[in-house]
């Protein structure tokens, strides 16, 4: 079923909860699942960022690795990087998203074709059709 969710993905976030160590244990499983079901045109894995969420709360220190261990884990696991985040308090969300988008754009530039014109942003809306609709959002 996850193949349907991953279809045409060009980047991903894998999130774990720093307050529940068991969620970190599942990170490698999710990364392996991603890598086995979606790849870039050259066959390499899509850029994936690891998010250590709920950094605003007390960590389960017995289960969560140190920053240097996280760096090593990401390097060995094929993650492009990692961020401590808090969705609740909006900590590092923009930074993580920006980092992922930069990685995606770098990959798109490596595979130029007519559909991957990174100088143009395509949102999938036809501007002529959008203008013909009512004035409300």
């Amino acid at each position: 079923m996850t193949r349907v969710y991953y279809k045409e993905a060009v980047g991903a976030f894998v999130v774990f909860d720093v307050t529940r160590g068991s969620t970190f244990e599942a990170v490698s499983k999710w990364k392996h699942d991603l890598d086995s079901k979606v790849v870039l045109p050259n066959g390499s894995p899509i850029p994936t960022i690891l998010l250590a969420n709920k950094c605003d709360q007390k960590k389960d220190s017995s289960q969560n690795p140190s920053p240097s261990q996280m760096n090593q884990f990401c390097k060995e696991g094929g993650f492009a990087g990692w961020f401590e985040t808090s969705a609740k308090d909006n900590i590092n969300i923009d930074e993580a998203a920006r980092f992922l988008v930069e990685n995606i754009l770098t990959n798109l530039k490596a595979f130029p074709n007519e559909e991957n014109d990174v100088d143009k942003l395509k949102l999938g809306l036809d501007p002529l059709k959008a203008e013909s609709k009512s004035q409300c959002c």
Side-chain angles (χ1 to χ4, degrees):
M1 186 66 180
T2 55
R3 187 178 307 276
V4 174
Y5 295 121
Y6 301 154
K7 186 177 180 180
E8 297 183 31
V10 292
F13 289 116
V14 172
V15 184
F16 74 96
D17 180 342
V18 298
T19 66
R20 293 176 46 219
S22 62
T23 62
F24 182 72
E25 295 169 12
V27 164
S28 293
K29 176 187 99 47
W30 283 107
K31 178 68 165 108
H32 175 74
D33 192 50
L34 263 171
D35 291 349
S36 69
K37 293 179 180 162
V38 63
V39 293
L40 294 173
N42 69 352
S44 63
I46 63 172
T48 306
I49 311 302
L50 181 59
L51 301 181
N53 196 40
K54 296 188 181 179
C55 70
D56 58 303
Q57 297 183 16
K58 184 178 177 183
K59 296 177 184 177
D60 179 357
S61 58
S62 65
Q63 297 287 326
N64 289 306
S66 69
S68 62
Q69 290 172 317
M70 285 294 292
N71 289 336
Q72 187 64 29
F73 177 82
C74 287
K75 184 178 179 182
E76 292 171 0
F79 288 92
W82 72 281
F83 290 82
E84 285 189 321
T85 61
S86 169
K88 177 184 168 192
D89 292 339
N90 194 25
I91 298 170
N92 277 339
I93 302 298
D94 290 341
E95 293 81 1
R98 188 173 297 108
F99 185 74
L100 179 59
V101 169
E102 287 170 357
N103 276 269
I104 291 168
L105 291 176
T106 298
N107 286 328
L108 287 176
K109 288 178 184 177
F111 307 109
N113 66 34
E114 295 166 9
E115 294 179 12
N116 288 342
D117 188 353
V118 295
D119 294 328
K120 298 177 184 174
L121 180 62
K122 298 177 184 177
L123 299 177
L125 295 176
D126 181 356
L128 296 175
K129 288 182 182 175
E131 288 178 17
S132 68
K133 292 183 179 178
S134 68
Q135 296 299 320
C136 64
C137 296

